[in-house]
């Protein structure tokens, strides 16, 4: 199997099951026009996040790493009308594109994009004593995943779900353990394995984004 085959199967899944609508396609077009890196989740992964959020009836979602808001739109569409999604993005230029994309998707009423380093935004959010989140998606600087996960756990309700993207990294998690991203993924797995407050697993994925995986933790 190779990347072309994985991508062809991904296209088939997208055509038959995912069927993105125009606001999602438009978000990807705006991202490309603004020269944002094409490192958003794939359509099938966006749908996967949306389904997970719907399965637990998520009303409050937290995201770390907005980019142009593609995953944000997928997840915000899982929310009821009175739901809320907060997303952290370090790059003001990316956040501006995301705000426009979210507005175009008619989700501005429930999405709050906060600009800054998540290392500063997380403690600020915790100090606000927010209503607990139901669903958290961590998809920013990979070496910080263990730190982000610990903070996420502090603000997620029992029965909530925390998903961390890019934890397999084309196998680098075992082949290249000293790479900073791999170190983040390995520390995260060790933390998940010994943390009594969660039950976790990792689902390996292949597709248009290569060979990677989502770590998924259910808060007990
Ligand atoms: C992989 S992209 C996010 C993709 C997005 N979740 C999607 O699927 O559409 C990672 C994003 O995290 C942001 N980022 C990296 N380090 C960060 C940090 N310390 N705090 C907040 N955002 C950060 C990057 O600027 C980038 O936009």
């Amino acid at each position: 199997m190779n990347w072309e085959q994985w991508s062809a199967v991904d296209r088939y899944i997208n055509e038959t099951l995912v069927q993105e609508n125009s606001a999602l396609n438009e978000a990807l077009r705006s991202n490309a026009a603004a020269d944002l890196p094409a490192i958003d989740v794939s359509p099938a992964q966006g749908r996967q996040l949306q389904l997970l959020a719907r399965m637990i009836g998520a009303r409050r979602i937290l995201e770390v790493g907005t980019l142009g808001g593609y995953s944000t739109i997928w997840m915000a569409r899982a929310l009821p009308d009175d739901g809320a999604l907060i997303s952290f993005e370090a790059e003001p230029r990316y956040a501006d594109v995301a705000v426009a994309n979210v507005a175009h998707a008619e989700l501005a009423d429930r999405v709050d994009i906060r600009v800054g380093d998540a290392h500063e935004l997380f403690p600020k959010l915790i100090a606000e004593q927010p209503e607990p989140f139901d669903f958290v998606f961590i998809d920013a600087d990979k070496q910080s995943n263990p730190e982000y996960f610990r903070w996420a756990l502090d603000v997620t309700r029992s029965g909530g779900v925390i998903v961390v993207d890019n934890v397999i990294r084309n196998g680098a998690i075992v082949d290249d353990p000293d790479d900073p991203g791999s170190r983040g993924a390995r520390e995260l797995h060790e933390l998940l394995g010994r943390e009594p407050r969660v039950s976790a697993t990792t689902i390996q994925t292949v597709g248009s984004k290569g060979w990677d995986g989502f770590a998924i933790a259910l808060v007990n």
Side-chain angles (χ1 to χ4, degrees):
M1 287 292 275
N2 57 33
W3 182 83
E4 279 82 15
Q5 286 172 298
W6 300 339
S7 297
V9 174
D10 236 358
R11 277 196 299 279
Y12 175 76
I13 294 169
N14 294 341
E15 283 160 17
T16 52
L17 292 181
V18 180
Q19 298 159 358
E20 289 175 285
N21 82 352
S22 62
L24 282 160
N25 287 324
E26 191 52 46
L28 292 181
R29 273 195 291 275
S30 317
N31 291 357
D35 262 344
L36 267 56
I39 51 175
D40 347 65
V41 294
S42 71
Q45 291 169 334
R47 171 58 62 79
Q48 187 179 340
L49 292 169
Q50 185 182 77
L51 291 178
L52 288 171
R54 285 181 59 197
M55 280 175 197
I56 58 162
R59 289 183 53 257
R60 289 180 53 77
I61 297 177
L62 176 64
E63 177 178 52
V64 187
T66 323
L67 189 65
Y70 183 73
S71 53
T72 316
I73 293 170
W74 271 112
M75 293 186 291
R77 286 191 170 152
L79 292 170
D81 286 347
D82 63 346
L85 185 156
I86 295 175
S87 186
F88 296 159
E89 174 52 53
E91 285 288 335
R93 198 172 69 79
Y94 298 175
D96 286 347
V97 175
V99 166
N101 285 337
V102 164
H104 183 251
E106 300 184 350
L107 292 163
D109 60 337
R110 62 201 72 176
V111 174
D112 171 9
I113 294 172
R114 300 189 177 184
V115 184
D117 186 334
H119 296 88
E120 288 163 17
L121 295 176
F122 245 126
K124 268 191 206 159
L125 176 72
I126 291 168
E128 289 169 19
Q129 299 188 310
E131 189 185 326
F133 290 88
D134 306 293
F135 190 82
V136 183
F137 179 48
I138 300 174
D139 187 22
D141 50 320
K142 308 303 169 184
Q143 68 278 12
S144 302
N145 278 342
E147 226 171 336
Y148 295 155
F149 179 80
R150 282 191 202 94
W151 277 320
L153 195 48
D154 283 346
V155 293
T156 305
R157 70 164 166 89
S158 167
V161 170
I162 303 171
V163 176
V164 187
D165 197 10
N166 307 120
V167 297
I168 300 300
R169 317 180 63 72
N170 285 312
I173 186 168
V174 292
D175 291 344
D176 187 6
D178 293 327
D179 164 78
S182 298
R183 272 208 302 273
R186 291 177 72 94
E187 275 175 38
L188 174 73
H189 278 82
E190 284 148 28
L191 175 58
L192 290 173
R194 65 172 185 264
E195 172 54 70
R197 289 176 290 172
V198 299
S199 305
T201 190
T202 287
I203 298 178
Q204 295 193 67
T205 55
V206 292
S208 59
K209 301 288 170 172
W211 171 26
D212 217 321
F214 281 134
I216 301 181
L218 174 68
V219 181
N220 295 323

